[in-house]
């Protein structure tokens, strides 16, 4: 009997040691979203809930955010290892902080087409970009569409000086449009459309002038990584992107099921609403013709260079944006792993 007990005690100790060693091998990654837990965040939350990160020996913490600019700053400061942010915000940070010791870099494109759009009510008489001259536009000062409006204006022959801007908190933007306090707004298409719906405005009463459909070839949100992670643990970035690509395929194949991962993080979310938001994001920004042509997660060098030049001009950066300083494709999964779009 003493030998039997000794055997089991030894086996138990070995199992505990093996378990501890397994957890010790996991790399901890703090990830910062650009916004709240909404439809598109399912791309990351599914990778977490289905154990795809864990399979890659990653212990990933995903936090809600409050804007791309903040996501870039937090990754740059080292508070977060990786994040999700608008490419223009990353370019602006890089060009405005040329001597910063640590600058994030984009490692995978997710929104191949920017979700930015100008939106108005049909009763305003606005039907095309040409109708925006002399109108009163509203958006938060940090809104991606507002910051890039000069690019939209130039592409459509508009006089930027003839637009009057009204600033407000994000939660008031669609309310002010619905009330008629402003003529039009800029915002992410799949966010502002559903926010207007929630305020009683029907789809058929809304005019959407999306940037991609009106001559603007900007990229949208990308996954970014800290300088420290790039230098010290490149394999962790590769592992993260493999897990993310696997989750992306699941999400695009079944968006309705994917929103359960959001509900698990925020019990107050409306699953039906977030499923629609996710589908709108996939159709307008993720699985687009441009994305299918360039490949999921990837960018076109000439297009990225054009965007760098446009952002330099529109944002008035301290130095010109260097496209090579903000993009690193060396961590991307294999072509087979990136084959995620539904046929």
């Amino acid at each position: 009997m003493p030998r039997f007990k000794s055997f089991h005690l030894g086996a138990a100790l070995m199992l505990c040691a093996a378990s501890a060693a397994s957890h010790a091998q996991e790399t901890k990654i703090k990830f910062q979203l650009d916004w709240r837990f909404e439809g598109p965040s399912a791309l990351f939350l599914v990778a977490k809930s289905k154990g795809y990160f864990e399979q890659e020996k990653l212990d990933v913490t995903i936090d809600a955010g409050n804007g791309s600019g903040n996501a870039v700053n937090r990754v740059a400061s080292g508070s977060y290892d990786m994040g999700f942010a608008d490419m223009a915000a990353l370019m602006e940070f890089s060009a405005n902080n040329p001597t910063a010791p640590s600058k994030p870099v984009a490692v995978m494109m997710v929104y191949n087409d920017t979700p930015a759009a100008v939106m108005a009510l049909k009763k305003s008489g606005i039907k095309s970009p040409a109708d925006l001259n002399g109108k009163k536009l509203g958006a938060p000062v940090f809104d991606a569409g507002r910051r890039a409006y000069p690019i939209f204006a130039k592409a459509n022959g508009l006089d930027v000086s003839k637009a009057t801007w009204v600033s407000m908190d994000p939660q008031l933007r669609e309310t002010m449009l619905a009330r008629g306090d402003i003529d039009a707004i800029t915002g992410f298409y799949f966010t502002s459309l559903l926010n207007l719906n929630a305020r009683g405005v029907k789809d058929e009463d809304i005019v959407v002038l999306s940037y991609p459909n009106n001559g603007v070839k900007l990229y949208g949100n990308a996954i970014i990584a800290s300088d420290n992670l790039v230098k010290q643990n490149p394999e962790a970035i590769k592992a993260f992107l493999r897990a993310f690509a696997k989750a992306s395929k699941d999400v695009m194949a079944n968006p309705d099921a994917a929103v359960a991962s959001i509900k698990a993080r925020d019990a107050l979310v409306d699953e039906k609403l977030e499923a629609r938001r996710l589908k709108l994001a996939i159709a307008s920004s993720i699985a687009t013709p441009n994305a299918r042509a360039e490949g999921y997660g990837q960018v076109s060098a000439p297009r990225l260079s054009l965007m760098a030049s446009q952002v330099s001009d529109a944002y008035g950066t301290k130095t010109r944006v260097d496209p090579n300083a903000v993009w690193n494709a060396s961590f991307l999964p294999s072509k087979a792993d990136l084959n995620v779009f539904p046929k």
Side-chain angles (χ1 to χ4, degrees):
M1 289 296 289
R3 286 184 181 178
F4 183 73
K5 288 181 179 178
S6 175
F7 171 80
H8 277 276
L9 179 61
L13 288 172
M14 287 176 66
L15 284 172
C16 287
S19 177
S22 174
H23 285 293
Q25 290 173 0
E26 286 191 344
T27 299
K28 292 184 179 296
I29 290 182
K30 287 187 67 180
F31 188 87
Q32 174 71 73
L33 289 171
D34 64 325
W35 201 238
R36 297 184 288 261
F37 291 120
E38 295 183 338
S41 61
L43 292 162
F44 301 96
L45 296 175
V46 164
K48 175 80 172 177
S49 64
K50 287 195 171 184
Y52 294 161
F53 288 136
E54 188 178 5
Q55 290 168 17
E56 293 284 355
K57 292 185 168 54
L58 300 178
D59 180 7
V60 180
T61 301
I62 302 171
D63 291 335
N66 56 353
S68 285
N70 283 325
V72 172
N73 287 331
R74 287 168 184 167
V75 174
S77 70
S79 299
Y80 284 82
D81 304 296
M82 300 181 73
F84 190 49
D86 183 58
M87 194 68 177
L90 178 66
M91 287 181 168
E92 181 183 26
F93 179 90
S94 180
N96 281 344
N97 298 276
T99 60
S102 175
K103 287 186 282 190
V105 63
V107 293
M108 182 170 181
M109 186 56 62
V110 181
Y111 294 167
N112 189 284
D113 290 287
T114 176
V118 174
M119 305 183 76
L121 303 185
K122 282 188 178 176
K123 63 184 180 182
S124 70
I126 295 172
K127 297 178 181 178
S128 69
D131 299 320
L132 294 171
N133 275 329
K135 299 298 184 181
K136 187 186 295 184
L137 281 73
V141 292
F142 58 81
D143 175 70
R146 177 172 176 172
R147 300 298 309 281
Y149 185 77
I151 301 172
F152 176 88
K154 186 175 181 179
N156 292 281
L158 303 179
D159 185 345
V160 179
S161 66
K162 290 185 178 180
T164 302
W165 285 93
V166 177
S167 302
M168 74 285 289
D169 290 334
Q171 62 268 27
L172 293 177
R173 170 174 39 197
E174 290 79 19
T175 298
M176 291 182 70
L177 179 62
R179 260 188 342 215
D181 297 335
I182 47 182
D183 300 309
I185 60 173
T186 57
F188 275 13
Y189 161 62
F190 49 75
T191 296
S192 289
L193 178 67
L194 297 188
N195 287 348
L196 284 168
N197 291 162
R199 287 155 181 77
V201 185
K202 297 178 180 179
D203 284 6
E204 56 265 32
D205 296 325
I206 301 171
V207 175
V208 178
L209 304 175
S210 76
Y211 279 31
N213 289 338
N214 286 279
V216 179
K217 298 182 178 181
L218 300 179
Y219 287 107
N221 283 33
I223 296 175
I224 64 175
S226 71
D227 184 62
N228 280 344
L229 196 62
V230 168
K231 291 175 178 175
Q232 297 175 11
N233 201 342
E235 292 305 315
I237 301 175
K238 292 178 181 179
F240 184 99
L241 298 185
R242 282 194 299 269
F244 177 78
K246 192 173 182 180
S248 296
K249 188 169 187 176
D250 292 351
V251 170
M252 283 186 261
N254 194 344
D256 291 302
V259 297
S261 65
I262 307 171
K263 187 77 170 179
R265 287 300 300 265
D266 184 352
L268 298 179
V269 302
D270 181 333
E271 288 183 87
K272 186 176 180 181
L273 179 73
E274 295 312 325
R276 186 181 179 216
R277 191 191 311 275
L278 176 56
K279 291 171 186 175
L280 288 172
I282 291 170
S284 66
S285 298
I286 302 174
T288 64
N290 282 332
R292 291 176 185 273
E294 294 177 6
Y296 186 50
Q298 302 173 65
V299 301
S300 155
R303 187 177 159 198
L304 187 68
S305 294
L306 173 62
M307 179 176 177
S309 178
Q310 291 175 323
V311 168
S312 299
D313 294 336
Y315 287 50
T317 54
K318 291 179 182 177
T319 62
R320 302 294 294 179
V321 177
D322 177 3
N324 296 317
V326 296
W327 174 253
N328 187 334
S330 67
F331 308 102
L332 285 171
S334 68
K335 190 173 181 179
D337 288 340
L338 290 172
N339 183 20
V340 303
F341 294 134
K343 293 182 179 179

